[in-house]
Every structure is written in structure tokens, then in C-alpha cells.
Amino acid sequence: MKLTGQQLIGNSESADSDDTFPSINPASGGGLETIFHEATKAEVDRAALLADSVFSEFRDRLAEGRADFIEAICEETLALGDDFLERASAETGHPIARCTMERDRAVNQARMFANVIREGSWADARIDLPDSSRKPMPKPDVRSVLQPIGPIAVFGASNFPIAISVLGADTISAFAAGCPVIVKGHPAHAGTCELAARAILKAARRTDMPEGVFSLVQGRSVEVGTWLVQHPKIMAGAFTGSLAGGRALLDVAAARPVPIPFYAEMGSVNPVFILPGALKERKEQIAGDLVAAVTLGVGQFCTNPGLVAGIESEEWQDFSKLVAEKVSHFAPATMLHSGIHNAFTSGIAKRNDSEELELLGCSDTEANPAACEAAAYIYQTTQQGLLNEPTLLEELFGPVSTLVDCGGLDDLVAIAEKLDGTLSATVHGSEEDLVTYRPLLKVLQRKAGRLIFNGYPVGIEVCHSIHHGGPYPAASHSFFTSVGTRAIQRFVRPVCYQDWPDSQLPMALQNANPRGVWRLIDGERTREEIQ
């Protein structure tokens, strides 16, 4: 499939601007095939107006039709073949195996959404039947169901060029809800974005979706994303990336004459607390698995464990030595792009200069900056040192973590209280530890979106129950997830119908329940029709 570097606005291609940018291979620093055009404000406007013009038609498509569309996206994505994987690898430095894993994750999650909307319970249909004999006032017929809100702006993540980008849960969950989507492609992997977008557009034509249900705009400048979020026809936005980028767009969304929800998944330190029982049982295994988690994907996961706290003891000292020894074997590897590499290098330099930190261990092999390579680093500090160096409570994106020596439960609780909101918090321990250290667990329940026991936060299980979000700044709204089927709830709102004729109600609220979905009728869950 040939790349053009143009905006894909419905079924049309557009290149209004002569302002272009290349796609760069981070390992070589060289430009890749195809130059990409910066989107203009007029092009963003055309995409948003086109999406709005087809919203009513798209939302009224039966769930079966939207599910067919999503499954066609899966088929067209797989049909892209090796060219797609090779482009993603060239633009990010990810190995082909990692890109294959991402593609399969995106496809499997999309199929999950297709099944969810076919089944129908996600729409939370509720019916309270009337009672004309009720005194002193008759009870009306009241029914509600979740309905789509309109065109959605999606921003691709730099670290997941396939699974959290054009083909990610933000786009697919919006389609599942019945919302058209405009994606702002990530400039670091513009070619991957265009290939994925073309697969979606081909699937839309195959399944007779209205033109405008999907568009892709590209650009390096902040203006393109700002225009998109500011556009009055955009009803919500979804973003995965840095705190600075997410907060800037969140502020834009809030400053609109009519504010819109902006669901941003941002920075997170993902603390790990290692309790005494776990160290006594398996400190070597924990050390090895921890280093693997810190260095996986060159540390470029939003769930990378950036802080590891434990209580000072002989076992903790042995554990620290094991971590230092194991991290030395990590071979430096290429990061996603020069911007991330420069930020990581700068962050490491600041940590090396900090009086509160000791470099406990690092890669034996030096990194090659010309290839955007990063070595791995493990630092050590005390609980007081952590409190004196607040930057340690901020995400440093890359293969780095800090061990924190604590005096006891009170120190662990103090660290947990000091944490900002985080996507995850991990506890290693025995069941007895969980009783003894319960005050720590109570704090972590307030701070984290996902609590992990005797595991690691990297490698999110994409399923119905998963929650990938957390209190600010991990996410802009802790009630919602950007992974898993609950992601659909970001792009719908409840609409209530009072005393409406049955024939004019949404299908999920009609007496006959023609799709056979689960409904809450007078407080009881049932699939039965109303006689």
C-alpha cells in the first residue's frame, strides 16, 4: 500500500500546506520514504464538519453493522502484512516481534469490542414501569440508555504505534459506541499511522459506512491538535502521552465556550512495595523480574516501575545487590525518537548530580547516543532522600528506577501518601504481610487505578475488567479506562425517555426487547420482554 503523506479526510486526500516533515528512523537518524504534509486549520475543519454530518447516520446503524465494520478493520489490518510491521519497526526502533504483538493486541481488542456491542448490555438499558394508581402522584414510565455523543478526537501514543494509536482502543471504542473519529497521527510514526488509517477507510467502504466516519490528520506542530480539540463539532478527546502534552490539551478542552471531556492518560511512577515476607521467600526471583520489568521495551511503558520501596534488613541489602548486578547485563537499545532520548538523557544527568541519590548499578555497555540508545540505571536513596528530591516522584520515561530504603511501615505509608495519582501500585508479600501492612494498602487504594499483588505492572491484560487509568496526573479522569471494554463509556452519555411511545424508543428500551439484551427493569436484571 503506497504512502502519500497527505491528510485522509473521509475518502479524499488533501495536502493544502507546503509545510512538510519527514519520518525518521531513530536507530540511524535517517529519513524514511515519504514526506508528510502538515495539516492546515481548513483541513481540520473539513474533517470535523464531515464527521459531524454523518454522526446521525452512523449512530443509527444497528450494533451488528458497527460490529461488522470493526471486524473488517481487523481483517484489513492483518492484510497489510509485513509492510505494516516493518514500517512500524523502522519508525520506532521496536523489534518486529514487538510490532507483531502490538498488531495482534489491537486486533484482539477490536474483536472484543465487536462482541460487546453485539451482546448489548454495555448500553446499560434501564426501565422503571409506570404506576397510574400510585398516590399522591402517578408514577411515570421512565427509561434510559447510554447513547453516543458525537465526533471524537484521538491522539496516538508515541510508545505504542499500533495498539494505542490509529487502531487503538480509543478509536475502536468510539466506533463501537457509534461515534465518528478523527485521529491526529503521531509525527514520530506518521507512516504507520497512514497505513493503519487506510486499513480503516478500506473497511469502512467494504461495510458501507458513511464517508466521514473516519479521518486522519498529520502534523508536528501543537496547532494541529489544538485546532482539533477546539473545533465545536468535536465532542470529546482521548490522549495517551506526557503530562505536559495531556495537560495542555485538557486545558484547551476546558477553555472552549462549551467545554468537552478530554480523557488523557499521562505520567505515572507505578511504585512497587516489597514487603519482608516476599524477600525471605524469593528475593532473587523478584530482583530478576523487577529488572526485566524496568528494562522491557527500553523502559518505554507508561506502567514502568519507577520507584521500589522496601524495609532495611539483610534481605533488602542482598536484594539491592542482586538488582545492581542484574541491571548491568542490560544491553543499551534504541529509544522511540530523539525527543524521548534527549529527555531521558537529561533526566539521568540530573539524577547523577543529585546529592540524595546513589547510583547503585547500570548497564556495563555504554549507550550510543547517535542511535538514540539508552542504558539502564538503578539508583538508591532513603525515605527522607525521596522526600527531599521531589523529582523522584515524577515519571522519567526510560529504563530507570530507584530503590528506597525505609525504616518500617510508617516510612512506607509516608511514601505512599506523598505519591501523586498513579496508574498502578504493586505489592510483593505474603498473605500475612497484607494483614500487617494493611495501612499501606489503604493508602494505595486511594492513589492507584490498578493494584497488583506479586506481579509487575507492565504487560496490561486487555479484558473486560481491566482499568488503565488513575487519579490525576496518571489520568485526567480517574473514573475511566483507556484499555479494555469499559473504554466505551467515555464516548456515551445517558439519555432518559419519560412516557414515550414504545415505537419511538431506542431498540434496547422497547417492550419487546428485540435484541434480547440484559436490562434493569424495576431494579431487577432480566432479558425478558415487557408484556
Side-chain angles (χ1 to χ4, degrees), residues 291-472:
V291 170
V294 169
T295 58
L296 184 67
V298 204
Q300 297 168 117
F301 287 86
C302 49
T303 51
N304 188 50
L307 281 179
V308 183
I311 296 173
E312 291 183 83
S313 65
E314 185 176 340
E315 285 85 3
W316 176 251
Q317 291 175 4
D318 291 343
F319 169 78
S320 301
K321 292 175 184 176
L322 285 167
V323 171
E325 189 273 329
K326 291 178 184 298
V327 81
S328 68
H329 301 306
F330 175 74
T334 298
M335 300 192 83
L336 288 158
H337 55 77
S338 60
I340 285 178
H341 178 259
N342 291 340
F344 178 73
T345 301
S346 175
I348 291 299
K350 290 178 181 177
R351 295 198 176 192
N352 287 338
D353 290 340
S354 173
E355 295 181 356
E356 303 293 347
L357 287 172
E358 175 189 353
L359 180 60
L360 188 65
C362 63
S363 298
D364 283 342
T365 307
E366 287 190 16
N368 178 8
C372 283
E373 286 186 350
Y377 298 84
I378 298 291
Y379 294 90
Q380 190 165 30
T381 190
T382 63
Q383 183 262 351
Q384 188 58 51
L386 176 67
L387 300 182
N388 292 342
E389 185 63 70
T391 58
L392 292 175
L393 298 171
E394 301 170 0
E395 179 185 57
L396 177 54
F397 204 57
V400 58
S401 193
T402 301
L403 305 188
V404 186
D405 303 341
C406 297
L409 173 60
D410 289 346
D411 283 359
L412 296 177
V413 171
I415 289 172
E417 289 283 8
K418 194 70 175 177
L419 290 168
D420 290 327
T422 183
L423 293 170
S424 72
T426 299
V427 175
H428 282 269
S430 63
E431 289 196 35
E432 292 77 12
D433 283 333
L434 296 183
V435 175
T436 304
Y437 293 87
R438 186 166 181 77
L440 169 66
L441 308 182
K442 288 185 176 181
V443 178
L444 295 179
Q445 288 171 5
R446 293 190 283 106
K447 297 285 185 172
R450 179 167 56 113
L451 298 173
I452 300 142
F453 182 59
N454 287 345
Y456 296 89
V458 293
I460 298 171
E461 181 65 30
V462 179
C463 60
H464 301 290
S465 304
I466 197 68
H467 184 81
H468 188 57
Y472 185 89

Side-chain angles (χ1 to χ4, degrees), residues 113-418:
F113 273 108
N115 291 334
V116 163
I117 59 174
R118 280 197 176 102
E119 189 274 337
S121 298
W122 71 272
D124 192 22
R126 300 180 179 214
I127 299 173
D128 286 273
L129 296 172
D131 182 358
S132 59
S133 65
R134 192 185 70 174
K135 304 296 182 182
M137 297 287 291
K139 179 185 175 185
D141 183 295
V142 181
R143 308 183 185 208
S144 68
V145 69
L146 297 177
Q147 295 192 337
I149 59 175
I152 307 300
V154 170
F155 292 77
S158 65
N159 60 333
F160 278 82
I162 302 172
I164 311 181
S165 187
V166 175
L167 293 166
D170 294 336
T171 299
I172 299 300
S173 62
F175 286 154
C179 297
V181 173
I182 303 169
V183 171
K184 161 61 173 65
H186 197 286
H189 42 79
T192 306
C193 288
E194 183 178 331
L195 288 171
R198 290 184 179 279
I200 291 175
L201 290 169
K202 190 172 182 180
R205 291 190 291 269
R206 266 183 54 190
T207 54
D208 197 29
M209 291 296 122
E211 181 184 1
V213 73
F214 176 80
S215 293
L216 171 73
V217 294
Q218 304 262 31
R220 288 186 300 184
S221 69
V222 297
E223 284 81 10
V224 176
T226 300
W227 294 330
L228 190 54
V229 174
Q230 286 176 332
H231 200 284
K233 299 302 184 182
I234 295 297
M235 293 293 103
F239 169 93
T240 295
S242 69
L243 175 57
R247 182 54 196 257
L249 290 169
L250 175 63
D251 290 346
V252 169
R256 287 175 33 148
V258 179
I260 58 170
F262 191 82
Y263 301 106
E265 187 261 282
M266 301 175 288
S268 182
V269 296
N270 306 294
V272 176
F273 294 85
I274 302 179
L275 305 180
L279 284 180
K280 289 180 180 178
E281 292 175 359
R282 47 193 174 85
K283 59 177 174 285
E284 183 160 357
Q285 179 189 343
I286 296 172
D289 291 346
L290 173 67
V291 170
V294 169
T295 58
L296 184 67
V298 204
Q300 297 168 117
F301 287 86
C302 49
T303 51
N304 188 50
L307 281 179
V308 183
I311 296 173
E312 291 183 83
S313 65
E314 185 176 340
E315 285 85 3
W316 176 251
Q317 291 175 4
D318 291 343
F319 169 78
S320 301
K321 292 175 184 176
L322 285 167
V323 171
E325 189 273 329
K326 291 178 184 298
V327 81
S328 68
H329 301 306
F330 175 74
T334 298
M335 300 192 83
L336 288 158
H337 55 77
S338 60
I340 285 178
H341 178 259
N342 291 340
F344 178 73
T345 301
S346 175
I348 291 299
K350 290 178 181 177
R351 295 198 176 192
N352 287 338
D353 290 340
S354 173
E355 295 181 356
E356 303 293 347
L357 287 172
E358 175 189 353
L359 180 60
L360 188 65
C362 63
S363 298
D364 283 342
T365 307
E366 287 190 16
N368 178 8
C372 283
E373 286 186 350
Y377 298 84
I378 298 291
Y379 294 90
Q380 190 165 30
T381 190
T382 63
Q383 183 262 351
Q384 188 58 51
L386 176 67
L387 300 182
N388 292 342
E389 185 63 70
T391 58
L392 292 175
L393 298 171
E394 301 170 0
E395 179 185 57
L396 177 54
F397 204 57
V400 58
S401 193
T402 301
L403 305 188
V404 186
D405 303 341
C406 297
L409 173 60
D410 289 346
D411 283 359
L412 296 177
V413 171
I415 289 172
E417 289 283 8
K418 194 70 175 177

Side-chain angles (χ1 to χ4, degrees), residues 75-114:
E75 293 166 6
E76 295 298 339
T77 298
L78 293 172
L80 291 172
D82 291 343
D83 289 347
F84 184 46
L85 303 176
E86 289 166 2
R87 182 72 187 206
S89 177
E91 288 185 324
T92 61
H94 288 331
I96 291 290
R98 158 71 189 268
C99 295
T100 304
M101 176 276 293
E102 272 199 52
R103 181 200 61 188
D104 293 347
R105 167 180 159 173
V107 166
N108 291 337
Q109 182 166 234
R111 287 173 172 155
M112 187 183 301
F113 273 108

